[in-house]
Amino acid sequence: MGKRCICEICTCGRHHCPHRPWRPGGDMGPCMITSYNTSYKKHPLQLRESCKPDPSALRSEEPLSDKTTFRTDYIKHPLDKPYSHPHETYKRPTGEIDGMTSYNKDYTAKHAPPAQLVKHTGQRHVATKFEGEPTYKIDYKKWPLERMQPKVPEGWCPPSQPFEGQSTFTSDFRKYNEPPRQSLKPDQATHMSDAPFDGNTGYRDDYIRHQLQRREPREKECYKAPNVKFDGMTTFNRDYTKKDGHKTESCKPNTEAFQSGAPLDDLTTFKNDYRRWNGERPFVHQPETYVKPEGEIDLNTTNRINYKQHPMQRVAMVKPGEGRVMNPGNFDGMTNYKNDFKKWGINREMPKPREGWVPSNQPFEGCPTYKAHYITHSMAPPKSMKPNASALASEAPFEDATMYRTEYTKKAASICEAAILDSGVSKYTFVETDNRGHKQYKPIWERTTPLRRVSSATVPKIPATMVA
């Protein structure tokens, strides 16, 4: 059978080599073997000390009482263990698994050369100066605009003519003496007639009542039981038959971490490509040292010479004027409303007594017609239509035979060999890790060679953007 990697041993499609992670959709991700993973060593890190104060509570030397309201009020009752259906023990299937799939048969490994590096020459620069004028300056020119002066409101002057007391409403709309409009409301009095009531209608005069014949009852057919035996086959059982469904495969990727026994090489692309060059220290201009001038400082400034201190005077209060001066005089309270609309003497109309009604001279006995004519009867309360809340109990034993238990039989599920690799029950043993990062395994019944350790220096560096 030969050596096989995890990708070839897997039968469920969920196990792959560590450097080829699987993503939803069936495609493979980029190669995870980089110079960082293979060259940088892992150093132990120490946790930083927290600046947060100690959150421990204040303690007391007194013993803690465990008596709570829950323990004192609520009593613990014994609980029965719920029924759990016991599962059958797993039985390992007999025979060997055929690992040949259509994927391994049709899609073979291809070896492609690494991609060539494309180096750009850089941005081109023009030596001459750009001379041009944009369209904004040509189309949009600056025009001289004059500043508009704000309008100053004129001062208010009181009128010289006296107020006449007549408004535009009084002068334009004059009152005319018109009679009141006749009311369109109908008279509430009922029109009575002395003639006797005539009950003859068109239905009574034109339609004659005829004698109806007696309808003969139809004989009811007697039920006849069928002679054919009842067939329990329905359209559902006939059209929809039982199908054998397979278990849905999980799309979860493999979470196993990549491990290698080869020693770590600290040579990286950064150390190899970028070397240290001897650089000269840049020139730093040294400023001249400060020299204190000779003589004393003249503290007389222009502020002290030109602006002298004068005695302060209290500011006088400026009171605003009285505003518009009104002409005092006698106030005339006569308005057009008081002049045109006068108050008329209206007497309240008293209600008229009904004709023929004579009040009773006898005192009220205290029993109205409602109590005299309507007698209360004893009535039982209506029966509630609400169903009884008690559950229907039965003494018969519970029948747990369902259609699932009677018709569906349990199928034995096989375990993928890639899931139990590096364990005691696996049929494969680890041999080596090739130069592409694939872990190679061999069946235990075949002859194996001693483990060979592959150094990371012999592993070719594959770019991260290249798919293996």
Side-chain angles (χ1 to χ4, degrees):
M1 186 178 291
K3 295 183 294 184
R4 303 172 65 184
C5 66
I6 301 178
C7 304
E8 298 174 347
I9 296 175
C10 178
T11 58
C12 61
R14 293 181 294 176
H15 303 90
H16 301 277
C17 292
H19 74 288
R20 292 292 301 278
W22 183 83
R23 294 182 297 181
D27 55 342
M28 300 299 175
C31 182
M32 295 301 174
I33 299 180
T34 60
S35 58
Y36 183 84
N37 295 332
T38 57
S39 302
Y40 288 89
K41 299 180 181 180
K42 185 177 181 181
H43 300 277
L45 299 178
Q46 297 179 359
L47 297 177
R48 295 183 179 179
E49 296 182 359
S50 176
C51 300
K52 190 177 180 181
D54 188 11
S56 59
L58 300 178
R59 299 182 180 180
S60 177
E61 297 179 357
E62 299 179 0
L64 179 64
S65 177
D66 58 348
K67 294 295 182 180
T68 60
T69 55
F70 182 84
R71 293 185 177 182
T72 55
D73 298 343
Y74 297 91
I75 304 172
K76 187 176 182 181
H77 298 276
L79 299 177
D80 298 335
K81 189 176 181 181
Y83 170 76
S84 60
H85 177 72
H87 298 279
E88 299 178 1
T89 57
Y90 170 74
K91 296 180 181 180
R92 185 176 182 181
T94 58
E96 301 295 337
I97 300 176
D98 186 7
M100 181 57 65
T101 60
S102 59
Y103 183 85
N104 297 332
K105 187 187 297 181
D106 299 339
Y107 298 92
T108 58
K110 307 295 189 302
H111 299 280
Q116 298 295 331
L117 180 64
V118 179
K119 186 175 182 182
H120 298 281
T121 56
Q123 187 179 3
R124 297 182 179 179
H125 298 277
V126 182
T128 59
K129 185 179 179 182
F130 174 74
E131 296 180 359
E133 190 174 3
T135 55
Y136 183 83
K137 292 184 178 180
I138 298 175
D139 300 340
Y140 298 92
K141 299 179 180 180
K142 188 175 181 181
W143 301 93
L145 298 178
E146 297 179 358
R147 187 174 183 181
M148 300 180 63
Q149 299 295 334
K151 185 177 180 181
V152 180
E154 299 178 358
W156 180 81
C157 298
S160 57
Q161 298 180 1
F163 178 65
E164 296 179 359
Q166 187 177 7
S167 61
T168 55
F169 178 82
T170 307
S171 60
D172 298 342
F173 299 92
R174 299 180 182 180
K175 185 178 180 181
Y176 299 94
N177 296 326
E178 295 182 358
R181 297 183 181 181
Q182 187 178 0
S183 176
L184 298 177
K185 186 177 181 181
D187 190 8
Q188 295 183 357
T190 308
H191 298 280
M192 304 297 292
S193 178
D194 299 335
F197 177 70
D198 187 8
N200 295 330
T201 60
Y203 180 81
R204 295 180 179 180
D205 298 340
D206 299 340
Y207 294 92
I208 304 172
R209 186 174 183 180
H210 299 278
Q211 189 70 22
L212 298 177
Q213 297 179 1
R214 186 177 181 182
R215 189 173 183 181
E216 297 180 358
R218 186 178 179 182
E219 296 181 359
K220 189 175 181 181
E221 297 181 359
C222 299
Y223 173 74
K224 296 180 181 180
N227 300 328
V228 184
K229 189 178 180 180
F230 175 71
D231 185 10
M233 180 62 67
T234 60
T235 55
F236 182 84
N237 296 333
R238 183 184 61 191
D239 299 341
Y240 298 92
T241 58
K242 182 181 176 183
K243 307 296 189 301
D244 295 333
H246 301 283
K247 187 178 180 182
T248 306
E249 298 179 357
S250 176
C251 300
K252 185 177 180 182
N254 187 14
T255 57
E256 296 180 1
F258 175 74
Q259 298 180 358
S260 176
L264 181 64
D265 189 7
D266 59 348
L267 182 59
T268 61
T269 55
F270 181 82
K271 292 182 178 181
N272 190 17
D273 299 342
Y274 298 92
R275 301 179 182 178
R276 186 174 180 181
W277 302 92
N278 297 326
E280 298 179 357
R281 191 172 184 180
F283 173 75
V284 180
H285 176 70
Q286 297 294 338
E288 298 179 358
T289 57
Y290 172 73
V291 179
K292 186 177 180 180
E294 299 178 357
E296 296 180 356
I297 302 175
D298 187 8
L299 299 178
N300 293 328
T301 59
T302 55
N303 183 276
R304 293 185 178 183
I305 297 173
N306 299 334
Y307 298 93
K308 298 180 181 180
Q309 188 175 6
H310 298 279
M312 300 291 293
Q313 297 180 3
R314 190 174 182 180
V315 180
M317 184 177 62
V318 179
K319 188 176 181 181
E322 296 293 338
R324 188 170 57 182
V325 180
M326 302 298 294
N327 185 15
N330 298 329
F331 176 72
D332 187 5
M334 181 60 66
T335 60
N336 56 351
Y337 182 83
K338 293 183 178 181
N339 189 18
D340 299 341
F341 299 93
K342 299 179 181 180
K343 188 176 181 180
W344 303 95
I346 300 175
N347 298 326
R348 187 175 182 183
E349 186 178 357
M350 302 302 294
K352 296 180 180 180
R354 189 174 57 184
E355 296 180 0
W357 180 79
V358 179
S360 179
N361 298 328
Q362 299 180 1
F364 179 63
E365 297 179 357
C367 182
T369 57
Y370 176 79
K371 294 183 178 180
H373 296 172
Y374 296 93
I375 304 172
T376 58
H377 299 275
S378 58
M379 184 177 178
K383 187 178 180 181
S384 176
M385 306 297 294
K386 185 177 180 181
N388 190 7
S390 60
L392 298 177
S394 176
E395 297 179 356
F398 178 69
E399 184 181 356
D400 58 348
T402 59
M403 185 175 62
Y404 180 84
R405 294 184 178 181
T406 55
E407 297 184 6
Y408 292 91
T409 57
K410 189 174 182 180
K411 279 78 177 178
S414 59
I415 300 179
C416 181
E417 289 291 339
I420 57 176
L421 288 175
D422 301 331
S423 61
V425 295
S426 177
K427 297 181 182 179
Y428 295 88
T429 176
F430 176 73
V431 180
E432 63 177 357
T433 303
D434 60 1
N435 52 2
R436 296 183 301 167
H438 291 265
K439 289 185 176 181
Q440 301 294 335
Y441 291 84
K442 269 191 177 183
I444 14 178
W445 60 81
E446 292 188 7
R447 192 173 183 182
T448 58
T449 57
L451 298 179
R452 180 171 59 89
R453 180 173 294 178
V454 181
S455 177
S456 60
T458 59
V459 179
K461 297 180 180 179
I462 305 174
T465 57
M466 176 182 175
V467 180

